[in-house]
């Protein structure tokens, strides 16, 4: 429970309407989109501006109260569960697009704006914000920045990090900083902008962002290539890139995923194919036409038994929507869906998919795999049931093996979902002791009292899963 | 002077051939390409591998001896002058390209490789490494990474930071870390890769880098647009971008620069024009043709009195080379050339150029301005003489005003040259106390003894300009 003094202070800062500590409210914010992680906060606050956030942070820092900034909670790494209690801080009241600057090709936004709204607003002006995480219809841009979200267009256009030009943020001591600006080039000091991007709310609270925009590509085309073998699909991916073509999207679905998605979306996906590549190219019409033609030939040379090019925008949209529905479709099958994002160099995709299948068999698990083949970012997805403890234990072992395999192949434990609480036990696999130590030094330097989203990124062995009441170190 | 014990240790680690402490050697490494900064190191070492560097760093950390990593010393911010003595560490022995991976579109290189060599090697394979700092013929890639170098292609392709996928580095405690990898997506922990990029050797020594490559654009075209007025040139820049065209290069030269460059390069630059835009577009031939045609029309609509499109590669190359020669050409005129890189949002270029001219007049100085108009990164260049103390004092005042104006216009004190020692007095203008404080916290966390390139980035008021002998805190 929060000290009464703290509660009174918070009420004073945000007003009654934006402070909640009823059981229902706390329950709602005790979990995010990640299965198996839940913990009650002590209060939920929704500040209205940066100054209020700074005041809240100072109070939390003084009383050493955990503070968990939260967008829409769509992350899949238990990044926004209040594992050590404290305050869940919602950005929903800071939901305004502040400016779209067509001359400098930037958008400046508050963190609580829905990603889709940003995309809609800029596309109306013929501009383009490429990062497109699966959750974009509900996720908040602040969450995307905190998680450095990826998406389907990462291969050609990069990820959220590549579009953040400047930030305003409140640091764990309550200081308000501004980084970067409407600038393509800025080397005035360390890159705090990119240190904050992907820091999962452990270094501060992002209160405003200036994002880079591109001209909207003039046109796009979508193709679907069917393979009798995963290996052939992976070889086609490498061959496309080796041909010096960088498609906007190059997605992979294995047969189990295809079947489930088709059953869900009914767009006519070929359930007899062992692997499918969904390929999209965008840009100048002449170049798009040529690229899609070349990609089609390359797929056929790599033994695709069929390549279809969508003839209309509607056909193309249906295919992309079907791919975007993969997680929703898979999650209908079993009570619990655990979606991972082990990532490898593009050249290792076939090896990684094979390893995933071998590991699934070894642990007798149902794992479907889909993902962003072009950037080696795979989503092995386990359909399971948290109530089946024996199976969950096997799931954990299987994923640990999958992470180790990814590292062995030169990859990483997470390509776009973040470490959060879920993958903190595995972070040392990627970083080693020296890398992990360096990151902890940075964290402790900025947040000596460890108030910002504690228990995330760095494993906390004292972490308890479900806690209802807490007492905080006296009101010194 | 180094304690004898330290000298013996260094000799043991790198061998006699790679340890120098003669007056001549120390003099050579007492300055870099930046005028007005000089200070003698105590020794110059050239290690052969990462392990040797780790050993050297550990010794320096133990004895609190300053360590200044140095590539070719082409930086313009006094980033590699040993202002507090100690050891200049050369990376010249670590000069191998380790791998070009055509499947994953990456190059892995040691830090001592010349940038031009990387460009040559990848272009031979039809690949492309876009960052092209002015010094690329002599600069080392490790230096480019430490400075987050920009170049002429920043507008369309970004800067060095955008191409660094992974690093090996030795931290100030001697720990060796590896960050990132051949991965388009990696969110396993904080972005140490980009924290190190542009950290100017103050956080560690980069010992290996994996860089992202692109397919080499199929073709390019170059145009030259002449204006009677700087304002019109600036408006043309904005109009091109507003037209949703992002040229590969969009360079600006004012009349004084044009005259000097033409006198130097004799490529037929129009010395009667008040301002010139040098525009290059690359990519698919069809798109390039269309873009250059559109750009040409837009320039004419914005009152360019002449637009020429280079008809041959040789003609185009001559124009780009002339632009690249701007600094060399200007530096022939006076004993001292001070080149700055105040940067503003693209929409503020005309205002910035006007302000520079007003400030130059106010202080009675000869300042020519050229630079990367597309990304707002201007190079006001003062032709002066360090021996003229009264003038140099005016130069310093003028540049301070220029930096303040850049900040006022939403810009930054340095777009691509770095802070180093030269701009450390102005860093607070951009960051404010809170931002500067956060950066210092990061620095102290990783380098509590402040051995890594001290006196750079953060101003040290005790800094002395020329020091010959030093004593180090006892051999504890």
């Amino acid at each position: 429970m929060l000290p009464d003094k703290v509660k009174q202070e918070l009420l004073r800062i945000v007003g009654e309407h934006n402070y909640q500590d009823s059981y229902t409210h706390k329950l709602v914010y005790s979990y995010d989109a990640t299965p198996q992680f839940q913990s009650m906060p002590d209060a939920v606050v929704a500040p209205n501006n940066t100054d209020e956030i700074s005041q809240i942070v100072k109070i939390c820092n003084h009383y050493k109260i955990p503070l968990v900034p939260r967008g829409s909670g769509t992350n899949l790494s238990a990044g926004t569960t209040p594992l050590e209690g404290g305050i869940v801080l919602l950005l929903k009241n800071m939901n305004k697009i502040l400016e779209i600057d067509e001359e400098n090709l930037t958008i400046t936004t508050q963190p609580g704006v829905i990603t889709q709204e940003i995309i809609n607003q800029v596309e109306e002006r013929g501009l383009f914000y490429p990062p497109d995480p699966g959750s974009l219809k509900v996720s908040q841009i602040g969450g995307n920045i905190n998680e450095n979200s990826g998406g389907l267009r990462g291969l050609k256009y990069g990820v959220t990090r590549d579009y953040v030009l400047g930030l305003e943020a409140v640091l764990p001591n309550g200081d308000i900083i501004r980084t970067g600006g409407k600038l393509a080039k800025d080397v005035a000091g360390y890159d705090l902008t990119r240190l904050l991007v992907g820091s999962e709310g452990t270094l501060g609270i992002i209160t405003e962002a200036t994002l880079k925009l591109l001209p909207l590509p003039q046109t796009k085309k979508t193709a679907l290539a069917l393979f009798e073998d995963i290996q052939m699909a992976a070889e086609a991916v490498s061959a496309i890139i080796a041909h010096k073509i960088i498609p906007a999207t190059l997605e992979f679905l294995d047969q189990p995923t295809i079947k489930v998605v088709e059953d869900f979306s009914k767009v006519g996906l070929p359930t007899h194919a062992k692997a499918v590549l969904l390929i999209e190219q965008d840009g100048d019409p002449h170049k798009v036409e040529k690229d899609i033609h070349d990609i089609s030939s390359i797929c056929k040379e790599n033994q695709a038994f069929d390549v279809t090019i969508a003839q209309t925008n509607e056909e193309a949209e249906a295919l992309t929507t079907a791919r975007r529905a993969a997680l929703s479709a898979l999650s209908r099958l079993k009570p619990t869906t655990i979606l991972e994002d082990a990532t490898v160099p593009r050249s290792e995709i076939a090896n990684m998919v094979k390893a995933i299948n071998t590991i699934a068999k070894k642990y007798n698990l149902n794992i479907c795999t889909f993902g962003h083949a072009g950037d080696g970012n795979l989503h092995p997805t386990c359909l399971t049931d948290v109530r089946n403890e024996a199976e969950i234990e096997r799931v954990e072992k299987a994923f640990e093996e999958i992470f180790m395999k990814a590292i062995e192949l030169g990859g990483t434990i997470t390509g776009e979902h973040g470490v959060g609480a879920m993958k903190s036990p595995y972070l040392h696999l990627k970083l080693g002791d020296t890398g992990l130590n360096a990151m902890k030094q940075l964290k402790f330097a900025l947040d000596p009292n460890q108030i910002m989203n504690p228990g995330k990124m760095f494993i906390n062995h004292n972490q308890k899963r479900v806690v209802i009441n807490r007492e905080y170190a006296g009101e010194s």
Side-chain angles (χ1 to χ4, degrees), chain A residues 82-98:
Chain A
L83 287 176
E84 303 190 5
I87 292 164
V88 169
L89 186 144
L90 304 179
L91 281 310
K92 64 176 183 176
N93 293 341
M94 294 172 70
N95 60 354
K96 280 170 206 61
I97 292 176
L98 301 173

Side-chain angles (χ1 to χ4, degrees), chain A residues 426-438:
Chain A
Y426 309 109
L427 188 57
H428 72 278
L429 291 178
K430 169 68 179 145
L431 302 176
D433 289 340
T434 54
L436 197 56
N437 189 37

Side-chain angles (χ1 to χ4, degrees), chain A residues 249-402:
Chain A
T249 292
L250 190 38
E251 295 290 304
F252 165 87
L253 292 88
D254 71 357
Q255 191 173 34
T257 312
I258 301 165
K259 285 182 173 168
V260 175
V261 171
E262 175 55 22
D263 185 42
F264 180 77
S265 65
K266 308 268 189 283
V267 295
L269 288 181
T271 52
H272 58 294
K274 285 281 191 302
V276 151
L277 291 180
L278 174 70
I279 306 147
E280 193 173 276
Q281 182 59 304
D282 61 9
D284 175 66
H286 181 266
K287 171 89 167 114
V288 168
E289 200 62 57
K290 183 175 182 309
D291 278 357
I292 284 286
H293 175 265
D294 290 352
I295 288 168
S296 171
S297 307
I298 294 165
C299 286
K300 282 175 189 158
E301 281 160 26
N302 282 274
Q303 307 186 45
F305 67 83
D306 188 47
V307 183
T308 323
I309 298 169
Q311 292 308 311
T312 62
N313 283 347
E314 290 66 34
E315 255 182 73
E317 199 55 44
L319 289 175
T320 315
T321 306
R323 156 61 189 88
R324 284 195 181 277
L327 175 56
S328 319
L330 287 166
S331 62
R332 293 193 318 161
L333 292 190
K334 282 284 207 102
T336 310
T337 314
I338 300 182
L339 174 70
E340 272 307 337
D341 72 329
T343 300
V344 292
R346 184 189 301 129
S347 56
E348 300 291 352
I349 289 167
N351 288 331
M352 191 65 210
V353 174
K354 266 188 273 174
I356 291 168
N357 291 341
T358 307
I359 292 165
K361 204 169 278 175
K362 175 176 167 189
Y363 289 102
N364 187 28
L365 295 169
N366 185 3
I367 300 185
C368 302
T369 298
F370 63 98
H372 319 300
D375 48 32
N377 181 202
L378 293 170
H379 292 315
T381 303
C382 187
L383 310 177
T384 180
D385 184 343
V386 284
R387 291 161 301 189
N388 182 343
E389 284 182 23
E391 183 163 300
I392 288 294
E393 207 167 291
R394 298 203 309 279
V395 171
E396 294 209 345
K397 282 186 185 153
F399 275 117
E400 184 163 350
E401 277 192 32
I402 288 173

